[in-house]
Amino acid sequence: MLKKTGGAAFNKVRRAASENLSNTLRILLHNKAYGIMIYRFSSKIVPLATHPLLSGWDYTSELSPQLKAIGCFTNKDKIRVSFHPDHFTVLNSPKEEILQSSLKDFQHHCLLLKEMGLDKGTKLVAHVGGTYNDREKSIKKNYRAI
């Protein structure tokens, strides 16, 4: 785990996550001032959160005050927010490792939304992938994943 083997590198990730959350709140404040009431959170708001080397990092607890502040602000001011996981997060991939990685990525996003208090009704936009040369099978996989 990065925490044990590379203290400086892990601290850099922690700082980046904290700065990203601070900057996100600043952007939301700016947007509100200009009447922009919709925002899509960066999927990299907590960098490397799903990386295997960081598997023991309880980032939602550590970043809880900042996450809650963002959630309170968006709830209070009725700002519509969403996440759109990266393009490699695909639910109907024929490759099991991609499906498992995608599910882990969705869990990560859901954890962030839950800690923000935004887990009810906030959109999590998903890539459903391609047809992989078998349209009917791919459609069935999409329904299974949902």
Side-chain angles (χ1 to χ4, degrees), residues 47-119:
L48 302 172
T50 60
H51 193 284
L53 288 175
L54 295 175
S55 63
W57 180 29
D58 184 7
Y59 55 90
T60 54
S61 292
E62 181 176 330
L63 302 168
S64 180
Q66 290 177 282
L67 291 166
K68 286 185 185 325
I70 290 169
C72 285
F73 182 79
T74 58
N75 278 331
K76 178 178 68 76
D77 290 296
K78 296 180 176 51
I79 298 172
R80 287 180 30 214
V81 293
S82 65
F83 268 118
H84 187 125
D86 289 326
H87 65 281
F88 53 80
T89 303
V90 181
L91 291 175
N92 76 328
S93 173
K95 296 180 180 175
E96 184 64 24
E97 64 273 11
I98 292 176
L99 173 61
Q100 292 308 313
S101 175
S102 297
L103 292 173
K104 186 176 180 180
D105 201 37
F106 280 117
Q107 288 173 333
H108 156 68
H109 287 85
C110 289
L111 277 173
L112 291 174
L113 290 171
K114 184 175 182 178
E115 195 62 31
M116 289 179 194
L118 302 174
D119 54 331

Side-chain angles (χ1 to χ4, degrees), residues 30-49:
H30 171 86
N31 286 358
K32 181 187 171 208
Y34 287 90
I36 302 167
M37 304 305 282
I38 188 167
Y39 184 75
R40 180 167 66 179
F41 294 118
S42 168
S43 287
K44 301 298 184 197
I45 200 165
V46 179
L48 302 172

